[in-house]
Amino acid sequence: MNLNKVFENNKKWISGKLSEKEDYFEELGKGQSPELLYIGCSDSRVTAEDLMGMGPGEVFVHRNIANMVISIDLNAMSVVNYAVEHLKVNHVVVCGHYACGGVKAAMQSADLGILNPWLRNIRDVYRLHKNELNAIENEDKKYDRLVELNVQEQCVNLIKTAAIQKAYRDRNLKVHGWVFDVHTGKLIDLEIDFEGILKNIMEIYHLD
Ligand code: CO
């Protein structure tokens, strides 16, 4: 791969933006006020802004292997805190995707070194939903369902944070669980029943 291409593309991108709007970069330089925090997988096929048709300035993005929200991950927790408390986003999305390599790896018995502790969080999701998952005989369907349940549990992990709880109470911030289907390009809202989940868990996780 010739990386010169990247800089050529960049020049074309700049002239494209300028032809749409003369002061595009002046405006962009003034600051950001995204209304959405997107937490997705690092997978190169799942391009956050592109698949949502959003441009620069419109979405605050965090990506890691298998779109995880882990309470001791200083990186993810800083992103959530900054987006919610300073940028004041009103929507937080966890977007998983079918055919996720991270989720697949967590379904297999293999020592993957430094990836083990990261992927163990997905194994924990499996354990929480073991009965439902083990009842699915088709391996592909089981894999798809684990992708969905992992999104759900990462949304629950968001709700366990003080920043989200505060914003939920003060300005009705919404958490959303989505899945991107890499086979069709379709973005699917899992319509997770947060009210139902919250009723069950808030007595344990309530902070603020
Ligand atoms: Co992935």
Side-chain angles (χ1 to χ4, degrees):
M1 187 189 184
N2 184 354
L3 290 182
N4 288 334
K5 183 88 183 127
V6 170
F7 292 92
E8 282 165 31
N9 290 345
N10 173 251
K11 276 185 201 158
K12 282 182 207 150
W13 178 72
I14 293 171
S15 37
K17 288 291 176 197
L18 290 177
S19 67
E20 276 169 37
K21 208 163 170 262
E22 223 170 59
D23 61 349
Y24 185 84
F25 292 102
E26 274 165 51
E27 287 299 314
L28 204 60
K30 284 181 186 164
Q32 60 168 340
S33 53
E35 288 175 35
L36 176 74
L37 164 61
Y38 169 101
I39 299 170
C41 184
S42 297
D43 191 300
S44 60
R45 298 166 295 179
V46 191
T47 54
E49 289 94 338
D50 205 35
L51 68 90
M52 293 189 287
M54 287 188 169
E58 291 186 300
V59 52
F60 203 62
V61 174
H62 179 73
R63 290 169 69 178
N64 60 39
I65 292 175
N67 42 270
M68 304 302 285
V69 179
I70 297 166
S71 67
I72 55 163
D73 175 5
L74 193 57
N75 187 352
M77 287 300 117
S78 302
V79 168
V80 169
N81 207 276
Y82 184 71
V84 172
E85 296 199 344
H86 297 272
L87 296 172
K88 307 268 184 219
V89 299
N90 284 319
H91 298 276
V92 182
V93 169
V94 176
C95 184
H97 68 101
Y98 296 131
C100 182
V103 173
K104 182 106 216 174
M107 288 176 77
Q108 289 160 349
S109 304
D111 180 356
L112 297 173
I114 190 64
L115 279 170
N116 292 339
W118 191 258
L119 298 175
R120 205 192 63 198
N121 294 287
I122 308 172
R123 293 184 195 274
D124 290 341
V125 172
Y126 196 111
R127 179 168 54 83
L128 276 172
H129 298 275
K130 187 176 154 211
N131 293 341
E132 178 186 342
L133 288 163
N134 282 352
I136 304 172
E137 281 176 27
N138 181 294
E139 276 301 307
D140 292 337
K141 288 206 172 105
K142 189 187 288 191
Y143 178 19
D144 286 352
R145 187 61 186 141
L146 182 56
V147 165
E148 295 169 0
L149 289 169
N150 185 48
V151 167
Q152 179 177 311
E153 289 303 326
Q154 302 321 309
C155 290
V156 170
N157 284 343
L158 279 171
I159 296 165
K160 292 172 189 167
T161 68
I164 297 277
Q165 288 180 18
K166 219 178 284 176
Y168 183 78
R169 186 196 62 205
D170 295 347
R171 59 174 202 270
N172 200 22
L173 170 139
K174 293 261 186 311
V175 174
H176 310 266
W178 297 349
V179 168
F180 178 70
D181 185 347
V182 291
H183 306 104
T184 62
K186 200 169 177 217
L187 195 55
I188 301 152
D189 186 346
L190 294 175
E191 291 172 12
I192 295 166
D193 172 23
F194 289 111
E195 295 298 324
I197 294 171
L198 288 176
K199 228 177 271 168
N200 253 329
I201 65 165
M202 279 316 268
E203 60 170 305
I204 303 165
Y205 294 107
H206 193 264
L207 297 173
D208 184 77

